Amino acid sequence: MGLIVQKFGGTSVGSTERIQHVANRVIQEVEQGNQVVVVVSAMGKTTDELVRLAGEITSKPSKREMDMLLTTGEQVTISLLTMALQEKGYDATSYTGWQAGICTEAQHGNARITKINEQAIAGRLKENHIVVVAGFQGMSEDNSITTLGRGGSDTTAVALAAALKADKCDIYTDVTGVFTTDPRYVQGARKLQSISYDEMLELANLGAGVLHPRAVEFAKNYQVPLEVRSSLVLERGTIVEEEVSMEQNLVVRGIAFEDNISRVTIEGLNNELQTLSTIFTALAKEHVNVDIIIQNVTSDNRLSISFSIKTEDTDATLSVLAQLKEVVGHKKVEHERGLAKVSIVGSGMISNPGVAADMFEVLAVEEIEVKMVSTSEIKVSTVVPHKDMVKAVETLHTAFELEEQDIYQVQK
């Protein structure tokens, strides 16, 4: 007998019919002799609807009350799924995040899990109950209900798997696994049999929406085996693990991309030790997430820096820089919208020099302008014009031989 944690997202539980389908998937694991803990999200667009209702009351709801409101979505799902399991003749118990012992920091809207008191769940498992837990939520030390932010249900599932020492954590979604790139844009995108934690973390941070970065980080830290699977199709998914056991010949394992990127360039800054700290501290206070940063020193000993941000943060960024003009002494601020970020990721880059050069050569042949570059041991990111984003992804996908080969569809 093994212990499996299963997570089903909002699409997978978007109707009572789909909840019945999820119940059957849970029962399949139980019938194979496994104990099962199920983590679920709110049904479909429930969270969006709750946000809309709050907006009809006030334009500035308190974060505490938004957490109180939004956590009701998952509570509906856990109740309905538990009822479905009971109706099919199985013992099942539902728990909200706080009933499940999920403790978080006192940060409304984006709390991090600090510990899990797993006694309640463990007790039910000993009684051979299926335990259904609300994702995305917990409770702080002052007994306030909190939410975990975007991707919170993934994080809940992985954290529970770590606390319960589960044999595996299955993340069920509306895709059949992790692909070499987004199959909605690239016809030849191929499902990977396996991918390393580090590669998955890079892809998640670079725009791949299959898994949330915090969940992958948790899995890596606690060595929780993950499998990304389809909730609608009965086939094997993608294993996320420490060392990739298959497809080791792939130097580049995936291509991620993200649109709505802007570049900001500041010229003529004071060349002082505190200049960069002043600028980026001020941006951080406005919750502007800065990505790629390039710095140059001009011939007159002034600083020039360029950095990329989400386009939605452009106006806030320009406002901050205007306020800092007398402090940092910049001469000119320019910005460019209509950009995108395209990244190649693969642990094979560490031992294969020249991958970045190959990437730039491919883009040059296609006459795609590279405006910014950022690298790490296992990734190269470029900022390119948005109009060239899909062409860049398709061309790189072919160049690095990621085209569809043998799709992994072993029935389980």
Side-chain angles (χ1 to χ4, degrees):
M1 178 181 289
L3 173 58
I4 309 294
V5 175
Q6 298 178 314
K7 180 264 175 177
F8 293 90
T11 304
S12 302
V13 294
S15 65
T16 53
E17 181 182 5
R18 289 197 171 186
I19 288 174
Q20 293 282 8
H21 179 75
V22 166
N24 291 332
R25 295 302 294 265
V26 174
I27 289 169
Q28 287 174 3
E29 286 290 354
V30 173
E31 289 301 313
Q32 291 180 24
N34 294 312
Q35 295 178 307
V36 180
V37 175
V38 190
V39 175
V40 291
S41 301
M43 295 174 65
K45 299 293 185 181
T46 298
T47 301
D48 292 340
E49 175 63 14
L50 292 173
V51 171
R52 186 190 68 78
L53 290 173
E56 291 184 359
I57 301 296
T58 174
S59 61
K60 295 182 179 180
S62 74
K63 290 185 177 180
R64 181 185 186 279
E65 297 311 317
M66 283 303 294
D67 279 358
M68 289 288 285
L69 176 65
L70 297 182
T71 51
T72 63
E74 285 74 21
Q75 194 165 333
V76 170
T77 315
I78 60 173
S79 299
L80 293 175
L81 178 56
T82 302
M83 291 176 190
L85 291 166
Q86 292 171 346
E87 186 68 15
K88 296 175 186 293
Y90 290 81
D91 292 328
T93 303
S94 66
Y95 286 124
T96 61
W98 48 97
Q99 288 174 321
I102 298 172
C103 304
T104 75
E105 60 189 11
Q107 174 78 32
H108 289 291
N110 196 30
R112 290 183 174 271
I113 296 173
T114 55
K115 64 179 179 179
I116 294 179
N117 299 319
E118 70 275 11
Q119 292 88 344
I121 294 177
R124 284 299 186 186
L125 290 174
K126 286 181 181 179
E127 296 171 357
N128 294 319
H129 277 234
I130 300 166
V131 180
V132 183
V133 179
F136 177 65
Q137 59 187 243
M139 179 171 284
S140 63
E141 288 187 0
D142 63 357
N143 294 325
S144 292
I145 294 172
T146 56
T147 59
L148 307 182
R150 180 173 166 267
S153 292
D154 285 353
T155 306
T156 299
V158 177
L160 282 173
L164 295 165
K165 296 181 173 56
D167 297 283
K168 189 182 174 190
C169 180
D170 289 338
I171 306 292
Y172 286 89
T173 181
D174 55 355
V175 295
T176 56
V178 179
F179 282 70
T180 49
T181 193
D182 193 330
R184 295 173 298 178
Y185 291 82
V186 179
Q187 189 173 2
R190 179 169 57 90
K191 185 173 70 178
L192 294 165
Q193 299 173 38
S194 60
I195 189 169
S196 72
Y197 292 126
D198 288 335
E199 289 169 330
M200 189 68 245
L201 189 57
E202 286 282 16
L203 287 171
N205 278 315
L206 292 168
V210 179
L211 282 173
H212 194 270
R214 282 168 62 180
V216 181
E217 186 177 2
F218 221 115
K220 176 178 172 59
N221 290 341
Y222 292 92
Q223 293 293 291
V224 176
L226 296 180
E227 183 171 354
V228 180
R229 308 183 62 173
S230 169
S231 62
L232 305 175
V233 181
L234 187 61
E235 66 179 57
R236 292 291 301 274
T238 301
I239 301 293
V240 185
E241 55 192 348
E242 185 62 44
E243 295 292 336
V244 174
S245 55
M246 301 177 185
E247 299 178 305
Q248 295 181 354
N249 60 315
L250 291 180
V251 175
V252 174
R253 198 169 300 277
I255 301 176
F257 53 94
E258 189 176 5
D259 58 6
N260 294 318
I261 301 295
S262 290
R263 177 177 65 172
V264 177
T265 300
I266 316 171
E267 298 180 359
L269 289 160
N270 297 330
N271 190 0
E272 298 174 354
L273 291 175
Q274 296 299 318
T275 297
L276 296 183
S277 173
T278 299
I279 292 171
F280 293 116
T281 298
L283 291 174
K285 287 181 179 179
E286 294 299 317
H287 306 288
V288 175
N289 184 27
V290 175
D291 188 15
I292 301 173
I293 303 173
I294 298 173
Q295 173 187 314
N296 291 305
V297 179
T298 58
S299 57
D300 58 352
N301 199 34
R302 308 287 289 185
L303 288 179
S304 173
I305 62 171
S306 294
F307 54 87
S308 63
I309 55 173
K310 294 292 290 182
T311 297
E312 64 195 42
D313 293 327
T314 303
D315 291 341
T317 299
L318 297 177
S319 175
V320 168
L321 295 177
Q323 295 171 28
L324 292 177
K325 183 172 184 178
E326 292 188 8
V327 178
V328 297
H330 59 73
K331 305 297 183 184
K332 182 168 65 172
V333 176
E334 297 180 335
H335 69 280
E336 182 179 7
R337 303 174 193 249
L339 303 176
K341 183 169 64 173
V342 176
S343 308
I344 58 174
V345 175
S347 56
M349 294 185 199
I350 298 174
S351 56
N352 287 273
V355 176
D358 291 341
M359 180 182 189
F360 299 141
E361 182 178 354
V362 168
L363 296 176
V365 168
E366 294 296 322
E367 298 183 345
I368 298 173
E369 183 183 3
V370 175
K371 294 177 176 288
M372 304 183 81
V373 178
S374 173
T375 66
S376 73
E377 284 188 324
I378 65 170
K379 72 100 193 265
V380 181
S381 294
T382 60
V383 173
V384 301
H386 180 268
K387 65 181 178 64
D388 294 324
M389 180 183 74
V390 175
K391 182 169 73 168
V393 174
E394 290 176 335
T395 305
L396 292 168
H397 197 267
T398 300
F400 288 108
E401 300 179 352
L402 296 177
E403 295 292 341
E404 187 152 1
Q405 298 170 10
D406 296 323
I407 295 181
Y408 188 58
Q409 292 187 339
V410 179
Q411 297 291 324
K412 180 179 177 183

